Amino acid sequence: MSYTAAVDHLYALGQELAPATPSTPRRKFDLAHMRVLAAALGDPQMTFPSILIAGTNGKGSTAATLASILTAAGYRTGLYTSPHLIRVNERIQIDGHQIPDEDFARLYFQVDEAARHLVEAGDLPYPPSFFEVLTAVGFLYFAGENATHAEKTRVDIAILEVGLGGRLDATNIVEPLLSILTDIALDHQDYLGNTIAEITREKAGILRPNGTLITLPQHPDANQAIGEAAATLNLRAINAASYIPGQTPGVSRSVPGHQVGASGKQAATPLPANHYSITLDGEALEVNSPLSGHHQQRNIALAIAAAAELRHLEGYKLGQIAGESNQIGYKITNAHIEAGIRNTHWPGRLELFTFSDGPQLLLDVAHNPAGAWTLRAAIAQLPEAQPRTLVFSCLRDKDLNEMAQILFPLFDASSTDSKRSKDHIVFAPIDNPRAAHIDDLLAAAHALDIPAHAAPHLAAALAQARAVTPSNGLIIATGSVYLVGEICRLAGEL
């Protein structure tokens, strides 16, 4: 079967978070189903060591940075993330390379056939979901089931980003060496709970008895819930705060950042780069990350703490491989950490596109209020007099009104601030069943008395933004991963 057939078949499964209908009720998450599927495939997730990363925001950046560090240290490193921006293959990578189409197709239909037999035998009540199938494909690929090598070559370690929550997420059937919790905020309340504490308890489901947790101080309610879970499980908790640069002179510095834009040329990013020094195990470590934004310092700190912990492991044994173990942990030097951070690739996060003419384009996947606040902090670092245009859309299960209150006033051409007189807001629909309606987007702007316009589709929105934004201005596209992914594709064609 072809790759195209595999992708078409996958999308026909439907998204877990798609709105419920009379014929398709909302799916209930159940790890028992994922364990049945994995067992039918030979439990591939038990053949390689792994790290689980959960949180509301920052988990993808943390995962990508940590995976890059391990690759720089010479380890064959798997990376599983979600969602994707352009192609589904982005979710499953080894050493920075996406799963090849032929491997994806073969493994997809292997999982699909196993699932079909399980349903026919009554071992599963219904076929696995979109995310469960992709997770199984990733586990098989990391276990060495790939066609691009003459013999099976499994990964030395896999970095797994949790899709939703943690406790019932399909990735949570592994036995992780480390569990990492990034920043936690309100999101997906319909599934995870209505308070920070409830959501944190769901995400703390990736923790293991006598295991190791790496996290950072955050919202007091999250801190308390994490502390309660840690005490119950008797685990080691590592605070990564010591790897965030201090504010004293000489410890941290901002320098003009550079990103490779769509034109293929390096251009100065409008945001300060994360370039600073810290101390790790008594030695200086130079951080020079391509990921912009002050918030990335927290994600980088978590990745550094995880790398430090991996090199101090006393050893582990893989439960499904008799007699095979790692007795000395991972050999990761400070130079490896520096190189890994420097070479991290994680698109769509304050990513700058430059063109031969016209304004630049800044993309960010801020898709919830916490992400919107982070983006607002980044916008505050832009030149105040620079004209800017917001291209925005979001999913209807997000808090549109709060995101509007956070972001839209920064682009208010009707405000008394003369510097904003050349600003614009352009809305566009996105191709997703959960997408907010254009009328709702316009209503959110009008409720704030902020002028905004709507485009019939994203290509038109981008063209309109380029037309109304002066050549020295900046277009900022945000509000949804799906919007950013489609604009990434469109921008690459300009």
Side-chain angles (χ1 to χ4, degrees), residues 134-189:
L134 278 180
T135 303
V137 169
F139 287 162
L140 286 171
Y141 189 58
F142 297 156
E145 296 289 344
N146 55 79
T148 55
H149 293 80
E151 57 186 39
K152 292 184 178 182
T153 307
R154 65 178 176 270
V155 296
D156 297 312
I157 190 168
I159 312 303
L160 309 174
E161 178 191 356
V162 170
L164 175 69
R167 182 175 63 92
L168 298 177
D169 189 79
T171 60
N172 201 30
I173 63 170
V174 303
E175 289 302 322
L177 298 180
L178 307 173
S179 298
I180 301 175
L181 289 178
T182 66
D183 290 340
I184 297 172
L186 292 174
D187 201 10
H188 297 299
Q189 288 98 311

Side-chain angles (χ1 to χ4, degrees), residues 240-251:
S242 59
Y243 304 122
I244 297 176
Q247 301 303 310
T248 54
V251 177

Side-chain angles (χ1 to χ4, degrees), residues 55-124:
T56 303
N57 291 311
K59 56 185 185 288
S61 298
T62 302
T65 302
L66 179 55
S68 183
I69 290 171
L70 285 157
T71 296
Y75 293 101
R76 183 172 170 80
T77 305
L79 175 63
Y80 181 67
T81 60
S82 64
H84 59 275
L85 289 177
I86 301 175
R87 302 184 81 233
V88 70
N89 305 50
E90 298 168 27
R91 298 177 180 232
I92 303 169
Q93 301 184 26
I94 294 179
D95 292 342
H97 301 288
Q98 299 174 18
I99 180 172
D101 290 357
E102 61 270 26
D103 284 337
F104 182 92
R106 181 175 52 82
L107 295 178
Y108 175 82
F109 285 111
Q110 179 181 339
V111 173
D112 181 67
E113 182 179 6
R116 181 168 52 82
H117 289 315
L118 290 169
V119 172
E120 290 173 352
D123 295 323
L124 283 179

Side-chain angles (χ1 to χ4, degrees), residues 122-429:
D123 295 323
L124 283 179
Y126 38 73
S129 68
F130 180 102
F131 189 77
E132 287 169 336
V133 168
L134 278 180
T135 303
V137 169
F139 287 162
L140 286 171
Y141 189 58
F142 297 156
E145 296 289 344
N146 55 79
T148 55
H149 293 80
E151 57 186 39
K152 292 184 178 182
T153 307
R154 65 178 176 270
V155 296
D156 297 312
I157 190 168
I159 312 303
L160 309 174
E161 178 191 356
V162 170
L164 175 69
R167 182 175 63 92
L168 298 177
D169 189 79
T171 60
N172 201 30
I173 63 170
V174 303
E175 289 302 322
L177 298 180
L178 307 173
S179 298
I180 301 175
L181 289 178
T182 66
D183 290 340
I184 297 172
L186 292 174
D187 201 10
H188 297 299
Q189 288 98 311
D190 287 350
Y191 293 87
L192 304 180
N194 293 314
T195 68
I196 294 289
E198 290 174 339
I199 292 173
T200 302
R201 283 191 283 271
E202 285 294 316
K203 294 183 183 295
I206 68 168
L207 307 181
R208 297 294 187 269
N210 304 309
T212 300
L213 161 68
I214 298 175
T215 191
L216 284 164
Q218 44 185 298
H219 190 284
D221 291 347
N223 291 338
Q224 181 174 345
I226 292 170
E228 291 170 354
T232 301
L233 296 171
N234 190 39
L235 52 74
R236 292 179 60 238
I238 296 173
N239 184 350
S242 59
Y243 304 122
I244 297 176
Q247 301 303 310
T248 54
V251 177
S252 173
R253 61 187 182 277
S254 295
V255 298
H258 289 81
Q259 294 184 6
V260 178
S263 65
K265 299 178 181 179
Q266 277 200 332
T269 176
L271 297 169
N274 284 309
H275 187 181
Y276 50 85
S277 296
I278 63 168
T279 300
L280 176 61
D281 289 344
E283 298 180 6
L285 189 149
E286 192 81 4
V287 171
N288 189 1
S289 173
L291 303 181
S292 297
H294 188 268
H295 65 288
Q296 291 290 0
Q297 294 179 6
R298 294 176 62 83
N299 304 324
I300 294 167
L302 290 168
I304 293 172
E309 181 63 18
L310 286 173
R311 73 186 187 186
H312 293 148
L313 282 180
E314 294 180 356
Y316 60 85
K317 185 173 182 178
L318 296 176
Q320 298 295 313
I321 306 177
E324 185 162 341
S325 62
N326 179 333
Q327 300 297 331
I328 58 173
Y330 290 82
K331 297 179 180 178
I332 305 171
T333 66
N334 280 19
H336 292 145
I337 296 174
E338 291 177 340
I341 293 172
R342 188 169 58 248
N343 296 323
T344 300
H345 179 65
W346 192 232
R349 281 73 184 173
L350 293 176
E351 181 182 15
L352 185 72
F353 281 82
T354 61
F355 308 98
S356 57
D357 61 346
Q360 294 180 320
L361 171 65
L362 187 68
L363 303 179
D364 192 68
V365 297
H367 61 282
N368 53 35
W373 278 116
T374 297
L375 175 58
R376 180 176 175 131
I379 293 173
Q381 300 178 70
L382 297 173
E384 287 188 35
Q386 184 180 36
R388 53 204 186 205
T389 297
L390 175 68
V391 176
F392 182 90
S393 193
C394 69
L395 301 181
R396 68 171 177 265
D397 52 13
K398 303 297 181 179
D399 194 332
L400 167 59
N401 290 330
E402 186 173 354
M403 294 177 71
Q405 291 169 15
I406 296 167
L407 293 176
F408 293 1
L410 304 181
F411 302 82
D412 185 3
S414 66
S415 72
T416 56
D417 185 352
S418 60
K419 299 184 184 69
R420 304 275 60 83
S421 62
K422 296 181 179 180
D423 287 6
H424 301 273
I425 296 177
V426 182
F427 297 132

